[in-house]
Amino acid sequence: MALWDIKGKMANMPVYDLFGGKMREGVPVYRHVDGANLDEIVENIETYRSIGVRHLRCQCGGYGGGGYGAAPDWAARGAQDGVYLDSKKYMRDTVKLFEGICSRVGYELDLVHDVHERIHPTEAVTFVKEMEPFRLFFMEDVVPLEQVEWLDKIKQTSVTPLSQGELFNNPAEYRKLIENRSIDYMRVHLSQVGGITPARRLQQYCAQYGVRICWHGPGDMSPLAHAANIHIDLAAENLGLQEWSGIEPPNFVIQKLNGVRGALLDVFPGMPQYGNDGFVYANDKPGLGVDLDEKEAAKYPCENTVTTWTQTRNRDGSLQTP
């Protein structure tokens, strides 16, 4: 990523021009909606809709529907604190949640849901089929990386588009999935597969098989990495959508509506920005177009805390892939 940024600055060209130029002016993005209940989630959906967001990932109470805390009374005695999963309850609750969302919001928005690999593949076959009436834009990570062979079985029973890939590391893990059209959206994390160059190769390979890209864009990723996503997206013929999350300060939606600039926009001037119309726009500065203000960055020292959602456990207290 750094080398492409440097080369763009040497050439006095944005990185997307080094790829041959933009195929689109803006990148369509999806945002994350969570909440404690249906009313709160619908309220958050309407807030995003008011600023033009058309694609929304909906969860209730985090991945798997549970929050961090003491082991519940249905867990094994002596089990440690964590995020405890009851996969069957999670599936029932999620189907009910989307029934409620669609009955109140309708079908004009494109909805996404992330299973985060938290159910068994045999349950995933049933769950994806049960979610089919809600016409999801895609269902994400319905099986663990080690069980991707199940994706073909899921495809045989449901027309719900599938996305996968934020844990992929090398072509051996995803080549057959692309060739067999086992997934509809490739979700790799750019730095995890090696940066911009291998991601561009992957994007072009996916295009040959009709697989679209939707790069991983979580809130714990550097704004520079988000910018790299956007530059590839602008030049990619097979862009599907882009995750855009967490790179603004808390309560960003309210701040944006009030015209308040956020802290990260001061630390990283030149970041691609959301345009209040469903699209993110890059600037035309050389390289990735993003700078770093070290004086501003010094106001936000790192924290060394436990990321609680990684402490995910099964009923017997054993750790579950988060």
Side-chain angles (χ1 to χ4, degrees):
M1 292 182 189
L3 292 176
W4 278 98
D5 186 41
I6 292 169
K7 181 61 71 173
K9 289 173 178 173
M10 292 174 64
N12 197 33
M13 296 168 64
V15 168
Y16 58 73
D17 273 343
L18 298 181
F19 299 150
K22 293 191 290 187
M23 296 193 67
R24 55 190 54 83
E25 294 304 315
V27 174
V29 296
Y30 78 83
R31 300 301 306 264
H32 296 177
V33 172
D34 204 335
N37 52 53
L38 176 61
D39 289 340
E40 188 174 320
I41 289 170
V42 170
E43 181 181 353
N44 291 334
I45 288 173
E46 294 299 345
T47 300
Y48 274 120
R49 177 148 64 173
S50 72
I51 58 167
V53 180
R54 306 292 302 173
H55 302 81
L56 293 162
R57 192 194 78 179
C58 299
Q59 317 284 139
C60 187
Y63 302 121
Y68 181 83
D73 55 12
W74 45 265
R77 291 193 303 271
Q80 300 179 42
D81 293 354
V83 179
Y84 276 81
L85 299 180
D86 181 339
S87 60
K88 289 182 171 53
K89 182 178 185 301
Y90 153 70
M91 291 189 290
R92 290 193 303 270
D93 289 349
T94 302
V95 171
K96 184 177 179 181
L97 170 68
F98 276 80
E99 287 175 346
I101 292 173
C102 291
S103 68
R104 293 171 60 173
V105 176
Y107 291 86
E108 294 181 4
L109 299 177
D110 284 310
L111 303 180
V112 171
H113 182 69
D114 186 359
V115 179
H116 226 257
E117 308 179 4
R118 296 193 175 197
I119 59 179
H120 192 275
T122 55
E123 295 175 318
V125 176
T126 300
F127 184 50
V128 175
K129 184 66 176 177
E130 290 177 339
M131 292 289 286
E132 195 171 82
F134 312 121
R135 308 172 195 171
L136 298 186
F137 191 85
F138 61 66
M139 182 90 85
E140 182 181 349
D141 285 350
V142 296
V143 297
L145 175 62
E146 299 82 5
Q147 302 288 346
V148 292
E149 291 83 2
W150 281 87
L151 292 171
D152 285 336
K153 299 182 186 299
I154 294 171
K155 278 283 188 185
Q156 292 168 11
T157 62
S158 174
V159 297
T160 298
L162 302 177
S163 70
Q164 193 88 18
E166 65 186 65
L167 297 181
F168 287 157
N169 298 282
N170 64 78
E173 294 171 335
Y174 50 70
R175 185 177 62 248
K176 289 297 183 183
L177 296 179
I178 297 169
E179 294 174 356
N180 295 338
R181 283 86 169 179
S182 302
I183 58 175
D184 301 278
Y185 294 90
M186 176 59 69
R187 291 272 296 136
V188 301
H189 190 96
L190 260 61
S191 61
Q192 191 153 334
V193 295
I196 290 174
T197 299
R200 276 279 290 173
R201 291 172 181 159
L202 172 57
Q203 170 257 308
Q204 292 165 340
Y205 190 65
C206 285
Q208 298 177 58
Y209 294 90
V211 175
R212 290 177 283 185
I213 60 170
C214 182
W215 305 133
H216 191 217
D220 55 0
M221 192 169 85
S222 162
L224 287 165
H226 282 283
N229 282 346
I230 296 299
H231 277 259
I232 297 177
D233 292 340
L234 286 169
E237 63 183 280
N238 57 326
L239 172 67
L241 194 60
Q242 177 59 57
E243 181 177 19
W244 188 253
S245 63
I247 64 170
E248 299 94 356
N251 302 316
F252 169 76
V253 173
I254 303 302
Q255 292 179 347
K256 193 70 173 182
L257 289 172
N258 294 333
V260 178
R261 296 180 74 239
L264 276 177
L265 303 183
D266 296 326
V267 176
F268 294 96
M271 274 176 53
Q273 293 193 33
Y274 180 69
N276 280 12
D277 56 1
F279 298 92
V280 164
Y281 298 88
N283 57 50
D284 59 0
K285 295 179 180 178
L288 293 175
V290 182
D291 294 317
L292 171 63
D293 187 324
E294 295 189 23
K295 185 176 181 180
E296 284 293 321
K299 298 177 181 178
Y300 308 99
C302 294
E303 297 179 356
N304 183 18
T305 58
V306 174
T307 304
T308 54
W309 65 265
T310 66
Q311 311 303 300
T312 307
R313 298 183 180 276
N314 298 304
R315 184 167 176 256
D316 59 5
S318 61
L319 284 169
Q320 157 77 22
T321 303

